[in-house]
């Protein structure tokens, strides 16, 4: 099996973060946790051969059509590739699907939308082209640049709110944020959900958790990981453990009244979330 990573043209930033080409999966393969699809991000997925099935921890599994927009995800789970299989995956930022496709993302959280039903077959045709293309990166660049030019859906200032929330390290006072942007809390949350598929609170919580896990992955042997948590915005270890269980633990591990979270489990999840073939982009 082979996983290749490519960067898009600069003109597609910040909405398009990276491309993945999955090929030569001759047998069934299961990816655990956020090994392929990270928390909070959105993806365009083109299945060129075989099947891709998601098994989220919080609801029933689903199999993707040939072309789809997926996520954002707010729970752990696994992804199964039924071989022989190959696919092209486009990782987007939190505003990417809304900007490229004009979608209201509040119905796509932890789920998908069939791209072939969104237009006159543009995205389904792109999937067919990808299956025989010699230069997949250039083909994706052209198609996504075209989508950016043609789509006029406003981000409603959500991109500015995203930047503001990231500066808060996950510690969000929504009344203060609404006051800062001179709007009501209800309006701010409605706009944010429409563009990103997440509440501002959930986005901030995911961003803080991703930052912490990325920092831990950079030094897997540190004995000062509690200070890493503080640098990432966690007031104490208890808040991190709560997020670890919510975002990273299988459902069975969330049920005990006093679940055990060891440093070994934390390091293992960090390795899963940030494997060698994927750059940590948060």
């Amino acid at each position: 099996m082979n996983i290749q990573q490519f960067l898009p043209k600069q003109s597609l930033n910040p909405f398009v973060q990276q491309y993945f080409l999955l090929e030569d999966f001759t047998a069934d393969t299961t990816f655990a946790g956020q090994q392929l699809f990270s928390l909070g991000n959105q993806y365009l997925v083109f299945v060129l051969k075989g099947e891709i099935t998601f098994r989220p921890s919080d609801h029933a599994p689903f199999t993707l059509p040939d072309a789809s927009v997926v996520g954002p995800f707010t729970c752990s789970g696994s992804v199964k590739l039924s071989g022989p299989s190959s696919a092209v995956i486009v990782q987007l930022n939190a505003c990417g699907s809304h900007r490229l496709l004009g979608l209201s993302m509040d119905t796509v959280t932890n789920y998908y939308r069939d791209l072939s039903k969104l237009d006159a077959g543009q995205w389904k045709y792109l999937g067919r082209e990808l299956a025989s293309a010699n230069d997949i990166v250039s083909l994706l660049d052209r198609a996504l640049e075209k989508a950016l030019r043609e789509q006029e859906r406003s981000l409603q200032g959500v991109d500015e709110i995203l930047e503001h929330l990231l500066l808060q390290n996950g510690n969000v006072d929504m009344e203060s944020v609404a006051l800062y942007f001179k709007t009501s809390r209800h309006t701010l949350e409605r706009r944010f959900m429409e563009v990103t598929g997440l509440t501002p609170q959930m986005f901030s919580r995911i961003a803080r958790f991703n930052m912490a896990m990325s920092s831990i992955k950079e030094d897997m042997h540190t004995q000062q990981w509690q200070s890493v948590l503080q640098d990432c915005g966690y007031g104490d270890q208890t808040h991190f453990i709560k997020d670890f269980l919510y975002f990273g633990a299988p459902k069975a591990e969330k049920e005990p009244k006093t679940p055990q979270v060891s440093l070994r489990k934390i390091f293992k999840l960090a390795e899963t979330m940030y494997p060698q073939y994927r750059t940590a982009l948060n």
Side-chain angles (χ1 to χ4, degrees), residues 13-17 40-43 91-99 159 162 195-196:
N13 287 335
F15 305 109
V16 183
Q17 295 188 340
N41 285 315
Q42 305 165 4
Y43 297 86
Q91 180 179 333
L92 308 174
N93 79 340
C95 298
S97 293
H98 187 83
R99 179 63 182 84
D159 50 341
L162 281 168
V195 172
T196 71

Side-chain angles (χ1 to χ4, degrees), residues 5-8 12-22 34-46 68-70 88-97 100 140 144 210 273-275 277-282:
Q5 176 189 11
F6 305 95
L7 293 177
L12 293 169
N13 287 335
F15 305 109
V16 183
Q17 295 188 340
Q18 52 191 333
Y19 305 140
F20 295 111
L21 172 60
L22 282 61
Q34 291 86 46
Q35 202 168 1
L36 269 184
F37 297 87
S38 55
L39 289 167
N41 285 315
Q42 305 165 4
Y43 297 86
L44 304 180
V45 181
F46 300 93
S68 59
V69 54
V70 182
V88 173
I89 300 173
V90 180
Q91 180 179 333
L92 308 174
N93 79 340
C95 298
S97 293
L100 286 164
L140 286 171
L144 297 175
N210 283 343
M273 290 177 66
Y274 299 108
Y277 59 78
R278 192 173 79 201
T279 303
L281 297 176
N282 297 308

Side-chain angles (χ1 to χ4, degrees), residues 32-91:
Q34 291 86 46
Q35 202 168 1
L36 269 184
F37 297 87
S38 55
L39 289 167
N41 285 315
Q42 305 165 4
Y43 297 86
L44 304 180
V45 181
F46 300 93
V47 181
L48 309 183
K49 187 194 307 181
E51 288 187 346
I52 297 181
T53 300
F54 284 81
R55 300 182 184 278
S57 61
D58 292 347
H59 57 79
F62 56 87
T63 299
L64 296 181
D66 291 343
S68 59
V69 54
V70 182
F73 286 96
T74 65
C75 63
S76 61
S78 62
V79 180
K80 180 180 179 181
L81 274 64
S82 300
S85 59
S86 59
V88 173
I89 300 173
V90 180
Q91 180 179 333

Side-chain angles (χ1 to χ4, degrees), residues 41 99-100 204 217 255 269:
N41 285 315
R99 179 63 182 84
L100 286 164
S204 298
K217 175 61 167 66
E255 295 175 354
L269 180 60

Side-chain angles (χ1 to χ4, degrees), residues 191-262:
R191 290 176 180 172
F192 203 91
M193 278 289 294
E194 181 180 347
V195 172
T196 71
L198 302 168
T199 65
Q201 297 92 330
M202 179 58 74
F203 170 83
S204 298
R205 191 176 169 190
I206 288 174
R208 178 175 61 183
F209 182 72
N210 283 343
M211 184 188 303
M213 297 303 292
S214 176
S215 298
I216 290 171
K217 175 61 167 66
E218 290 177 5
D219 186 357
M220 300 289 286
H221 303 290
T222 180
Q223 297 301 312
Q224 304 297 323
W225 67 282
Q226 290 90 342
S227 64
V228 172
L229 302 184
Q230 293 177 356
D231 293 341
C232 294
Y234 284 99
D236 55 48
Q237 183 177 328
T238 301
H239 286 93
F240 172 75
I241 296 301
K242 180 180 179 181
D243 280 355
F244 180 87
L245 291 171
Y246 187 90
F247 294 126
K251 190 172 183 180
E253 294 186 15
K254 301 177 185 180
E255 295 175 354
K257 294 183 178 179
T258 56
Q260 299 298 312
V261 176
S262 65

Side-chain angles (χ1 to χ4, degrees), residues 23-38:
E23 57 183 358
D24 298 330
F25 284 78
T26 57
D28 292 357
T29 305
T30 298
F31 292 88
Q34 291 86 46
Q35 202 168 1
L36 269 184
F37 297 87
S38 55

